[in-house]
Amino acid sequence: MATMGHNNLNAKLVLLGDMGAGKSSLVLRFVKGQFLEFQESTIGAAFFSQTLAVDDATVKFEIWDTAGQERYHSLAPMYYRGAAAAIIVYDITSTDSFTRAKKWVQELQKQGNPNMVMALAGNKADLEDKRKVTAEEARVYAEENSLFFVETSAKTAANVNDVFYEIAKRLPRAQPAQNPAGMVLVDRPAEGSRTASCCS
Amino acid sequence: MYGTEGGIDMALEFQSHIPILRPSIHARRANLTVKFQDLYGFTVEGNVDDVNVLNEVREKVRQQGRVWWALEASKGANWYLQTQISSTLKSSLTFSALGNAVTLKKLIRKGIPPVLRPKVWFSLSGAAKKKSTVPETYYNDLTKAVEGKVTPATLQIDHDLPRTFPGHPWLDTPEGHAALRRVLVVYSFRDSDVGYCQGLNYVAALLLLVMKTEEDAFWMLAVLLENVLVNDCYTNNLSGCHVEQRVFKDLLVKKCPRIAAHLEALEFDVSLVATEWFLCLFSKSLPSETTLRVWDVLFYEGATVLFHVALAIFKMKEEELLTAHHVGDVINILQKTTHQLFDPDELLTVAFDKIGSMTTTTISKQRKKQEPAVMAELDERLRRLNSLRADNK
Ligand SMILES: Nc1nc2c(ncn2[C@@H]2O[C@H](COP(=O)(O)OP(=O)(O)O)[C@@H](O)[C@H]2O)c(=O)[nH]1
Ligand SMILES: [Mg+2]
């Protein structure tokens, strides 16, 4: 429950990246603490929500886990439009997936919300012996593009929650009289108005 | 014969030996969530009321069966075929044919009994006609010709087989995978523009369960993509799908203005949920018999029914949706609603009686209007991506 002086944020977060990089696995790990080999394939994107408490705020993530072949990328703008945060995922055992990740970063830089908090996640870090993308290379790229970078493993859970926590910390806090795109200030009384005509 | 027999047996099994479910008194008292199999073998979760609804649906299906059999007895086995021929040749329209056409439309909206679906769908959708224009051996020849070929489409299909309705007692077996694989692979060679598009796996899987033979499922898929649905739903950046989404948004504003305004205020884009409905033709969201009831109408009346049904889902939950304050709440309401729509009549009554009529001509005009905007938007995105690529290499 929101208390006085406490920020309650809703933040839209989108996961983008090559097919098979581990987007769904990261979300499943974060939301349910599980790891599965087979999941029903998603058409377009799957929605999840999860709340995190960080320092001064409670952040409720509205997560869009995008999916699909190349042709589905034409749907991506609908998922990243108005997003407060994005996690761009690649697979450290695939250079193609890293190239793909860079393209997503560029698309978001040009088209996304300018205040978007972006994280680059090098997933499958447990597969060290199959590594094709060095952490150094990714770190340099991330620094150049002001992204938050971390290597993760949805399988072992390494760093998975950390990505979401770090994003939650970096989200711009809602300021009075300002409501940045993708952030909905919900610091209203719990018994707040339930009228049908809602205004934004 | 390419192992189609397994499919036949399994699908028949679901229809003939369906145990009547009797929820235990304990389940009733505790209002527990129970798992049960529906008419097409899918495991679904619901409460005791859902089980009861599904039992009522089974009974209604049996009654519909009796109605259809009685009509066959009085009008002849293929009476519904005559309605189609004469309704296109208006000059030779006889009173009895006109009467039959009216009866048929009503009858189909009330549902085709599962045992008759293969036959009725195959003739009324135009699949039979399509098949008759090529040699008898077309499907088998093509199946043999493409065996062992590896393409981007086949790789994607192989990736998706185990992820298509996992856990289904026939689809998720080696036999089911093999049959679904052949239908999708053969189609990917028939139309290289479509090739394989994710979403078609779910559609083809349900077609297999209904039609019972691979070859008929294949022709239903062909007629669906080539004649029933709007062009380019599954090709070319899914441009047809983008067009349908825009048309749908306009219809929602017209038919459900309060909901549209409320969702707009929440910055909720209805395509976030409706895209999957249109690409999978509701097969991933609605219970199987409800989906197939929608498809009954789809194959006879055309793609306009998809708008009716999508609008109906919103309409049914109008009051609840208007109290939702977050995107997450809206999605939960819609997902819960669609998953629990075990009674097809509940949905279709709203779809046809409460939404009001929309003619195919009106919808076609709307599509024409939206096409240039969609093309411009997609081109713009491609241009931008290409310029990004050029900048960086
Ligand atoms: N070893 C390993 N495998 C992973 C990891 N994350 C995902 N996978 C596997 O990679 C495959 C693709 O994962 P998925 O989450 O479906 O990828 P998506 O297409 O990006 O959603 C699946 O077989 C996962 O089990 C990881 O951290 N380590
Ligand atoms: Mg995924």
Side-chain angles (χ1 to χ4, degrees):
Chain A
M1 187 79 19
T3 52
M4 289 284 275
H6 207 101
N7 269 330
N8 237 359
L9 305 175
N10 267 45
K12 179 175 175 181
L13 181 150
V14 62
L15 284 102
L16 295 163
D18 213 1
M19 207 188 306
K23 298 178 292 298
S24 302
S25 302
L26 286 173
V27 175
L28 192 68
R29 173 60 80 187
F30 173 59
V31 174
K32 297 206 180 128
Q34 294 174 340
F35 181 77
L36 295 173
E37 293 290 333
F38 283 122
Q39 302 175 58
E40 188 162 295
S41 65
T42 303
I43 302 301
F47 176 83
F48 300 86
S49 72
Q50 178 75 311
T51 306
L52 274 186
V54 272
D55 307 340
D56 59 329
T58 305
V59 177
K60 185 171 178 201
F61 282 116
E62 292 167 352
I63 303 169
W64 288 99
D65 170 23
T66 63
Q69 298 160 280
E70 191 75 27
R71 59 189 93 178
Y72 276 86
H73 295 174
S74 67
L75 298 173
M78 132 174 117
Y79 302 110
Y80 66 64
R81 194 173 298 135
I87 303 177
I88 296 106
V89 185
Y90 68 94
D91 170 353
I92 66 154
T93 72
S94 151
T95 45
D96 282 354
S97 78
F98 188 54
T99 309
R100 214 328 137 207
K102 291 183 193 167
K103 284 181 190 150
W104 280 121
V105 171
Q106 288 165 358
E107 182 168 351
L108 290 179
Q109 284 169 342
K110 278 218 170 168
Q111 288 312 112
N113 155 25
N115 301 320
M116 192 187 283
V117 177
M118 279 194 249
L120 179 67
N123 190 42
K124 308 201 188 178
D126 56 294
L127 301 176
E128 188 56 51
D129 49 332
K130 293 195 187 141
R131 178 190 286 277
K132 295 276 162 48
V133 184
T134 65
E136 195 44 36
E137 184 185 358
R139 184 167 298 116
V140 169
Y141 174 79
E143 263 165 33
E144 284 168 7
N145 289 277
S146 340
L147 314 170
F148 159 63
F149 168 69
V150 70
E151 288 196 344
T152 57
S153 167
K155 188 166 184 175
T156 67
N159 290 336
V160 177
N161 288 348
D162 311 58
V163 182
F164 291 89
Y165 270 102
E166 190 58 35
I167 288 174
K169 278 196 216 153
R170 292 179 183 220
L171 287 172
R173 294 293 175 261
Q175 286 141 21
Q178 199 188 332
N179 192 10
M183 307 276 298
V184 183
L185 184 65
V186 288
D187 204 335
R188 60 179 149 224
E191 64 283 355
S193 79
R194 284 235 154 225
T195 51
S197 57
C198 170
C199 39
S200 54
Chain B
M1 263 296 294
Y2 305 113
T4 55
E5 272 73 25
I8 298 173
D9 293 349
M10 280 309 289
L12 279 177
E13 196 99 323
F14 301 135
Q15 288 155 22
S16 48
H17 310 287
I18 299 156
I20 295 293
L21 295 155
R22 301 213 184 283
S24 76
I25 189 76
H26 306 293
R28 263 176 236 237
R29 283 213 188 102
N31 196 22
L32 291 175
T33 301
V34 285
K35 281 193 177 179
F36 48 97
Q37 276 204 348
D38 72 6
L39 278 72
Y40 282 85
F42 292 92
T43 301
V44 283
E45 269 183 36
N47 58 29
V48 172
D49 290 338
D50 297 327
V51 178
N52 289 332
V53 168
L54 210 66
N55 284 334
E56 280 164 27
V57 169
R58 291 197 165 100
E59 183 47 39
K60 274 198 240 172
V61 164
R62 272 188 289 271
Q63 282 167 16
Q64 265 300 94
R66 285 193 282 273
V67 174
W68 280 77
W69 293 124
L71 277 166
E72 290 210 354
S74 70
K75 294 177 188 262
N78 293 318
W79 67 275
Y80 45 84
L81 293 184
Q82 274 105 50
T83 64
Q84 229 195 8
I85 297 158
S86 25
S87 61
T88 50
L89 300 170
K90 290 226 158 64
S91 53
S92 67
L93 201 65
T94 63
F95 273 122
S96 83
L98 184 63
N100 282 351
V102 173
T103 314
L104 185 61
K105 185 170 163 183
K106 272 198 207 149
L107 205 56
I108 286 179
R109 287 186 176 194
K110 282 193 179 163
I112 303 171
V115 268
L116 286 178
R117 263 190 192 126
K119 196 173 107 179
V120 178
W121 279 12
F122 206 64
S123 356
L124 294 184
S125 65
K129 196 169 151 225
K130 198 176 261 298
K131 185 184 172 193
S132 72
T133 61
V134 296
E136 272 289 312
T137 54
Y138 178 93
Y139 180 74
N140 285 349
D141 293 348
L142 203 50
T143 309
K144 281 201 199 100
V146 304
E147 217 173 75
K149 291 219 160 86
V150 178
T151 65
T154 66
L155 292 172
Q156 186 66 54
I157 291 166
D158 286 332
H159 179 69
D160 285 346
L161 291 174
R163 310 195 305 159
T164 309
F165 298 127
H168 185 276
W170 180 71
L171 287 169
D172 198 6
T173 62
E175 231 180 300
H177 289 181
L180 181 58
R181 184 180 197 280
R182 279 186 296 267
V183 171
L184 291 170
V185 168
V186 171
Y187 195 80
S188 77
F189 282 91
R190 174 179 167 94
D191 184 344
S192 54
D193 284 340
V194 173
Y196 168 67
C197 179
Q198 290 182 308
L200 294 179
N201 50 329
Y202 295 102
V203 173
L206 265 194
L207 285 173
L208 267 171
L209 284 185
V210 173
M211 301 306 290
K212 304 190 195 104
T213 75
E214 259 176 67
E215 187 168 357
D216 288 357
F218 167 81
W219 286 111
M220 287 305 297
L221 186 64
V223 83
L224 184 67
L225 299 191
E226 294 159 22
N227 306 90
V228 177
L229 299 176
V230 60
N231 285 339
D232 287 322
C233 271
Y234 299 94
T235 62
N236 194 20
N237 282 328
L238 313 176
S239 61
C241 173
H242 286 271
V243 170
E244 296 296 78
Q245 289 304 312
R246 280 166 172 260
V247 172
F248 176 59
K249 281 176 207 172
D250 280 357
L251 288 171
L252 191 76
V253 171
K254 253 181 237 136
K255 304 273 182 183
C256 311
R258 292 171 72 208
I259 300 176
H262 182 67
L263 297 182
E264 168 103 47
L266 294 182
E267 292 181 21
F268 182 86
D269 180 347
V270 292
S271 295
L272 291 169
V273 292
T275 304
E276 185 211 84
W277 293 349
F278 280 74
L279 283 171
C280 301
L281 308 173
F282 298 102
S283 62
K284 254 174 82 69
S285 336
L286 295 173
S288 65
E289 177 62 13
T290 309
T291 304
L292 298 176
R293 285 284 302 277
V294 175
W295 292 14
D296 285 344
V297 184
L298 174 69
F299 287 127
Y300 186 57
E301 295 185 36
T304 307
V305 68
L306 302 177
F307 294 111
H308 279 275
V309 170
L311 290 168
I313 294 169
F314 280 94
K315 192 81 178 172
M316 289 170 87
K317 291 292 153 180
E318 176 152 14
E319 296 311 319
E320 228 177 295
L321 287 169
L322 290 176
T323 62
H325 286 299
H326 298 292
V327 170
D329 302 336
V330 175
I331 291 171
N332 288 338
I333 294 168
L334 294 171
Q335 279 183 350
K336 197 164 161 244
T337 305
T338 50
H339 289 165
Q340 291 180 343
L341 268 170
F342 291 105
D343 181 2
D345 290 314
E346 193 188 337
L347 174 65
L348 293 181
T349 308
V350 179
F352 296 117
D353 300 348
K354 300 248 169 75
I355 297 300
S357 83
M358 296 182 281
T359 65
T360 308
T361 338
T362 329
I363 299 287
S364 302
K365 268 194 209 142
Q366 296 293 318
R367 287 180 181 135
K368 279 268 165 306
K369 202 181 101 188
Q370 298 294 352
E371 266 166 25
V374 167
M375 291 308 166
E377 189 182 279
L378 292 173
D379 283 351
E380 165 65 20
R381 182 167 184 272
L382 270 188
R383 242 200 317 280
R384 215 169 47 230
L385 289 183
N386 288 333
S387 75
L388 289 176
R389 246 157 257 183
D391 290 351
N392 275 272
K393 291 259 157 113

